[in-house]
Amino acid sequence: MNINDVTDAIQLALAPVFLLTGIAGLLNVMAGRLARIIDRGRHITEGSHRAPADITPSIESELRVLDRRRHLTSSAITACTLAALLVCVVIGTLFLEVMLDVRLEWLVGLAFTAATVALITGLALFLREVHLATTSIRIVASLPRP
């Protein structure tokens, strides 16, 4: 093992590290949305101490949408977390390749492709959740009367 080989491995690992940073930012946004969805559901069901008989069809409909959004966001978080784990496998494999002096390009390619597919899946699920949120919320603007 040559010091130049280690330097090359570090340089190769920098791009996946930046990708990992981007995925972490996405996970932060998704986790924040999930927390807000859960808080809204709790506010509707627990905050007002409603009995099951007090749940109107509009509240029931909102709870169904919130549950669907929660599921989509949770799935998006799972897919993006898997992508992050696979990027870590890419980084680890790049170093193992240098340290053990074995050819693992096939594993790097496979893990990176799988990470990309997982990230695409997570982003698609997140986009679906955002679309569902924007179509299920109606904001009625009422101007104050003079």
Side-chain angles (χ1 to χ4, degrees), residues 11-105:
Q11 289 174 343
L12 280 174
L14 277 180
V17 167
F18 285 120
L19 177 59
L20 198 56
T21 303
I23 293 172
L26 286 169
L27 285 169
N28 187 33
V29 169
M30 291 177 187
R33 285 187 72 88
L34 182 60
R36 292 192 62 169
I37 291 166
I38 290 170
D39 287 346
R40 176 67 182 149
R42 283 185 179 155
H43 175 74
I44 292 171
T45 57
E46 298 170 2
S48 57
H49 302 290
R50 285 194 173 98
D54 293 340
I55 296 180
T56 65
S58 64
I59 291 173
E60 189 175 333
S61 174
E62 184 176 358
L63 287 172
R64 274 195 304 274
V65 169
L66 286 172
D67 189 56
R68 179 72 179 136
R69 288 179 57 202
R70 179 197 53 79
H71 177 73
L72 286 168
T73 305
S74 178
S75 297
I77 289 171
T78 300
C80 287
T81 301
L82 177 61
L85 289 170
L86 288 166
V87 170
C88 290
V89 168
V90 168
I91 294 167
T93 304
L94 288 170
F95 281 102
L96 282 176
E97 190 173 35
V98 170
M99 294 175 74
L100 300 177
D101 197 29
V102 290
R103 296 184 58 91
L104 298 173
E105 293 95 356

Side-chain angles (χ1 to χ4, degrees), residues 19 23 26 30 75-76 79-80 82-84 112-128:
L19 177 59
I23 293 172
L26 286 169
M30 291 177 187
S75 297
C80 287
L82 177 61
F112 189 77
T113 302
T116 303
V117 169
L119 185 58
I120 289 169
T121 302
L123 290 172
L125 289 165
F126 184 63
L127 182 62
R128 178 67 186 117

